[in-house]
Amino acid sequence: MVQCEMCGAETSSPKTIKVEGAKLDVCSNCTDFGTEVRQPSSSSTSTKYSTGSSSSSSSSSGQSAGSSGASSSSSSSSSTQRRNDMFDDMDELAPDYDDLVRSARENKGLSQSDLANELNEKSSLIRKIERGDTLPSDRVQSKLERFLEIDLSAEGSSGDDSEWSGGSSSGSYTLGDVVKRKD
């Protein structure tokens, strides 16, 4: 017996309905709450949780074990590659960006409102950036760097990760190997 996913009643023949985009297996009393989803022919042995790789492996069970070993080695080689994400291309902001902006502004002899007028930004934004309350957007960062002739990106942050050689001789790391204390 299967439990209805809407009311919780036990049912021996659940029907699949779609309610606001969600597919639910429900009893016959709850089918009126959604639109019934027609299942493809029942000759297929796959379940709703099966993937393409498991259905292809079940249909090719007569093949040699060598071909399945090749597919597992290709999947393991892809898992060893480092995945690229959107943060790989982004520059990291210098930890003392607020001091850099303030000192560069003062060196040019500008007030916060003067700098804001030059950059066509609000003076409250400049004030928050110099206090370290907010991070500048990429657009504002490039304006600040261009006008004040400074570099707000962190230098060598990616190099620190590759040069780090902490850890024990066994190759396993603990949290203490990685964490940098503030004191």
Side-chain angles (χ1 to χ4, degrees), residues 88-113:
D88 289 342
D89 299 330
M90 293 174 61
D91 288 336
E92 201 171 314
L93 197 61
D96 59 341
Y97 71 94
D98 50 347
D99 295 330
L100 291 171
V101 171
R102 183 183 308 110
S103 62
R105 175 185 58 80
E106 289 171 350
N107 287 343
K108 286 202 171 230
L110 297 171
S111 68
Q112 290 177 341
S113 59

Tab-separated table of all heavy atoms in Angstrom, residues 88-113:
chain	number	residue	atom	x	y	z
A	88	ASP	N	35.659	31.946	-10.316
A	88	ASP	CA	37.034	31.794	-10.787
A	88	ASP	C	37.501	33.012	-11.570
A	88	ASP	O	38.668	33.367	-11.541
A	88	ASP	CB	37.164	30.547	-11.667
A	88	ASP	CG	37.057	29.273	-10.869
A	88	ASP	OD1	37.234	29.334	-9.634
A	88	ASP	OD2	36.796	28.218	-11.475
A	89	ASP	N	36.572	33.651	-12.310
A	89	ASP	CA	36.939	34.777	-13.155
A	89	ASP	C	36.899	36.103	-12.418
A	89	ASP	O	37.295	37.123	-12.960
A	89	ASP	CB	35.990	34.845	-14.356
A	89	ASP	CG	36.073	33.583	-15.191
A	89	ASP	OD1	37.154	32.966	-15.229
A	89	ASP	OD2	35.047	33.206	-15.795
A	90	MET	N	36.402	36.111	-11.203
A	90	MET	CA	36.248	37.366	-10.475
A	90	MET	C	37.512	37.702	-9.701
A	90	MET	O	38.178	36.827	-9.161
A	90	MET	CB	35.084	37.252	-9.485
A	90	MET	CG	33.740	37.111	-10.167
A	90	MET	SD	32.415	36.803	-9.020
A	90	MET	CE	32.452	38.246	-8.003
A	91	ASP	N	37.838	38.981	-9.684
A	91	ASP	CA	38.963	39.434	-8.875
A	91	ASP	C	38.494	39.579	-7.444
A	91	ASP	O	37.378	40.017	-7.181
A	91	ASP	CB	39.476	40.785	-9.379
A	91	ASP	CG	40.216	40.648	-10.697
A	91	ASP	OD1	40.713	39.548	-10.971
A	91	ASP	OD2	40.278	41.643	-11.437
A	92	GLU	N	39.376	39.236	-6.520
A	92	GLU	CA	39.048	39.367	-5.108
A	92	GLU	C	39.381	40.786	-4.667
A	92	GLU	O	40.387	41.349	-5.067
A	92	GLU	CB	39.866	38.350	-4.308
A	92	GLU	CG	39.276	38.045	-2.963
A	92	GLU	CD	39.980	36.880	-2.311
A	92	GLU	OE1	40.201	35.869	-2.990
A	92	GLU	OE2	40.306	37.000	-1.123
A	93	LEU	N	38.521	41.357	-3.849
A	93	LEU	CA	38.714	42.718	-3.371
A	93	LEU	C	39.752	42.721	-2.255
A	93	LEU	O	39.779	41.820	-1.414
A	93	LEU	CB	37.378	43.255	-2.859
A	93	LEU	CG	37.248	44.751	-2.685
A	93	LEU	CD1	37.450	45.467	-4.004
A	93	LEU	CD2	35.893	45.095	-2.118
A	94	ALA	N	40.597	43.718	-2.260
A	94	ALA	CA	41.633	43.835	-1.234
A	94	ALA	C	40.977	43.986	0.131
A	94	ALA	O	39.954	44.660	0.262
A	94	ALA	CB	42.522	45.032	-1.521
A	95	PRO	N	41.540	43.379	1.170
A	95	PRO	CA	40.922	43.458	2.494
A	95	PRO	C	40.910	44.880	3.064
A	95	PRO	O	40.044	45.208	3.859
A	95	PRO	CB	41.759	42.523	3.362
A	95	PRO	CG	42.990	42.239	2.587
A	95	PRO	CD	42.714	42.511	1.160
A	96	ASP	N	41.832	45.724	2.627
A	96	ASP	CA	41.878	47.099	3.129
A	96	ASP	C	41.414	48.093	2.061
A	96	ASP	O	41.919	49.203	1.967
A	96	ASP	CB	43.293	47.445	3.593
A	96	ASP	CG	44.320	47.304	2.484
A	96	ASP	OD1	44.033	46.622	1.482
A	96	ASP	OD2	45.411	47.885	2.618
A	97	TYR	N	40.395	47.685	1.286
A	97	TYR	CA	39.905	48.541	0.209
A	97	TYR	C	39.417	49.884	0.734
A	97	TYR	O	39.574	50.912	0.078
A	97	TYR	CB	38.795	47.843	-0.580
A	97	TYR	CG	37.495	47.699	0.182
A	97	TYR	CD1	36.492	48.644	0.042
A	97	TYR	CD2	37.268	46.626	1.030
A	97	TYR	CE1	35.296	48.528	0.741
A	97	TYR	CE2	36.089	46.504	1.728
A	97	TYR	CZ	35.104	47.456	1.579
A	97	TYR	OH	33.930	47.337	2.278
A	98	ASP	N	38.826	49.882	1.936
A	98	ASP	CA	38.293	51.126	2.502
A	98	ASP	C	39.410	52.137	2.753
A	98	ASP	O	39.284	53.330	2.437
A	98	ASP	CB	37.487	50.850	3.764
A	98	ASP	CG	38.236	49.973	4.766
A	98	ASP	OD1	39.273	49.383	4.399
A	98	ASP	OD2	37.778	49.876	5.916
A	99	ASP	N	40.524	51.677	3.306
A	99	ASP	CA	41.665	52.568	3.557
A	99	ASP	C	42.290	53.063	2.250
A	99	ASP	O	42.724	54.218	2.159
A	99	ASP	CB	42.729	51.861	4.400
A	99	ASP	CG	42.233	51.534	5.802
A	99	ASP	OD1	41.370	52.287	6.318
A	99	ASP	OD2	42.704	50.533	6.375
A	100	LEU	N	42.338	52.166	1.250
A	100	LEU	CA	42.906	52.557	-0.039
A	100	LEU	C	42.090	53.671	-0.680
A	100	LEU	O	42.653	54.645	-1.203
A	100	LEU	CB	42.964	51.347	-0.983
A	100	LEU	CG	43.949	50.242	-0.632
A	100	LEU	CD1	43.735	49.027	-1.526
A	100	LEU	CD2	45.373	50.746	-0.770
A	101	VAL	N	40.772	53.555	-0.647
A	101	VAL	CA	39.910	54.568	-1.248
A	101	VAL	C	40.039	55.886	-0.493
A	101	VAL	O	40.187	56.956	-1.092
A	101	VAL	CB	38.442	54.085	-1.286
A	101	VAL	CG1	37.503	55.202	-1.705
A	101	VAL	CG2	38.287	52.894	-2.217
A	102	ARG	N	40.008	55.810	0.834
A	102	ARG	CA	40.073	57.028	1.646
A	102	ARG	C	41.389	57.767	1.435
A	102	ARG	O	41.418	58.976	1.207
A	102	ARG	CB	39.899	56.698	3.123
A	102	ARG	CG	39.890	57.951	4.015
A	102	ARG	CD	39.780	57.632	5.504
A	102	ARG	NE	38.669	56.760	5.815
A	102	ARG	CZ	38.803	55.479	6.222
A	102	ARG	NH1	39.998	54.952	6.371
A	102	ARG	NH2	37.748	54.752	6.479
A	103	SER	N	42.504	57.032	1.486
A	103	SER	CA	43.804	57.696	1.351
A	103	SER	C	43.992	58.267	-0.056
A	103	SER	O	44.546	59.364	-0.215
A	103	SER	CB	44.938	56.739	1.708
A	103	SER	OG	44.953	55.640	0.831
A	104	ALA	N	43.516	57.554	-1.080
A	104	ALA	CA	43.651	58.065	-2.447
A	104	ALA	C	42.790	59.314	-2.641
A	104	ALA	O	43.196	60.268	-3.317
A	104	ALA	CB	43.256	56.990	-3.455
A	105	ARG	N	41.594	59.327	-2.049
A	105	ARG	CA	40.726	60.505	-2.143
A	105	ARG	C	41.368	61.699	-1.452
A	105	ARG	O	41.400	62.808	-1.983
A	105	ARG	CB	39.364	60.208	-1.524
A	105	ARG	CG	38.437	61.414	-1.472
A	105	ARG	CD	37.155	61.120	-0.742
A	105	ARG	NE	37.323	60.666	0.625
A	105	ARG	CZ	37.564	61.455	1.679
A	105	ARG	NH1	37.701	62.754	1.508
A	105	ARG	NH2	37.672	60.953	2.895
A	106	GLU	N	41.925	61.459	-0.258
A	106	GLU	CA	42.554	62.542	0.492
A	106	GLU	C	43.800	63.057	-0.226
A	106	GLU	O	44.105	64.253	-0.189
A	106	GLU	CB	42.894	62.078	1.906
A	106	GLU	CG	41.651	61.881	2.770
A	106	GLU	CD	41.949	61.215	4.107
A	106	GLU	OE1	43.093	60.716	4.305
A	106	GLU	OE2	41.039	61.176	4.950
A	107	ASN	N	44.550	62.160	-0.879
A	107	ASN	CA	45.740	62.583	-1.635
A	107	ASN	C	45.368	63.498	-2.797
A	107	ASN	O	46.147	64.371	-3.181
A	107	ASN	CB	46.509	61.366	-2.163
A	107	ASN	CG	47.251	60.649	-1.051
A	107	ASN	OD1	47.463	61.197	0.025
A	107	ASN	ND2	47.625	59.402	-1.320
A	108	LYS	N	44.192	63.303	-3.374
A	108	LYS	CA	43.732	64.173	-4.461
A	108	LYS	C	43.085	65.440	-3.923
A	108	LYS	O	42.706	66.315	-4.704
A	108	LYS	CB	42.736	63.430	-5.346
A	108	LYS	CG	43.388	62.400	-6.236
A	108	LYS	CD	42.503	62.096	-7.420
A	108	LYS	CE	43.271	61.234	-8.387
A	108	LYS	NZ	43.209	61.737	-9.730
A	109	GLY	N	42.932	65.534	-2.592
A	109	GLY	CA	42.350	66.725	-1.992
A	109	GLY	C	40.853	66.855	-2.208
A	109	GLY	O	40.325	67.965	-2.286
A	110	LEU	N	40.159	65.725	-2.299
A	110	LEU	CA	38.725	65.741	-2.544
A	110	LEU	C	37.951	65.364	-1.285
A	110	LEU	O	38.427	64.570	-0.474
A	110	LEU	CB	38.358	64.741	-3.651
A	110	LEU	CG	38.931	64.981	-5.037
A	110	LEU	CD1	38.643	63.795	-5.936
A	110	LEU	CD2	38.356	66.250	-5.633
A	111	SER	N	36.760	65.928	-1.131
A	111	SER	CA	35.860	65.481	-0.068
A	111	SER	C	35.079	64.281	-0.593
A	111	SER	O	35.114	63.966	-1.788
A	111	SER	CB	34.900	66.600	0.326
A	111	SER	OG	34.010	66.865	-0.734
A	112	GLN	N	34.341	63.628	0.291
A	112	GLN	CA	33.547	62.475	-0.135
A	112	GLN	C	32.484	62.889	-1.146
A	112	GLN	O	32.246	62.188	-2.126
A	112	GLN	CB	32.896	61.804	1.079
A	112	GLN	CG	33.882	61.090	1.972
A	112	GLN	CD	33.230	60.484	3.201
A	112	GLN	OE1	32.122	60.858	3.591
A	112	GLN	NE2	33.925	59.541	3.819
A	113	SER	N	31.873	64.048	-0.925
A	113	SER	CA	30.838	64.503	-1.871
A	113	SER	C	31.447	64.905	-3.213
A	113	SER	O	30.828	64.686	-4.263
A	113	SER	CB	30.030	65.645	-1.268
A	113	SER	OG	30.869	66.727	-0.954
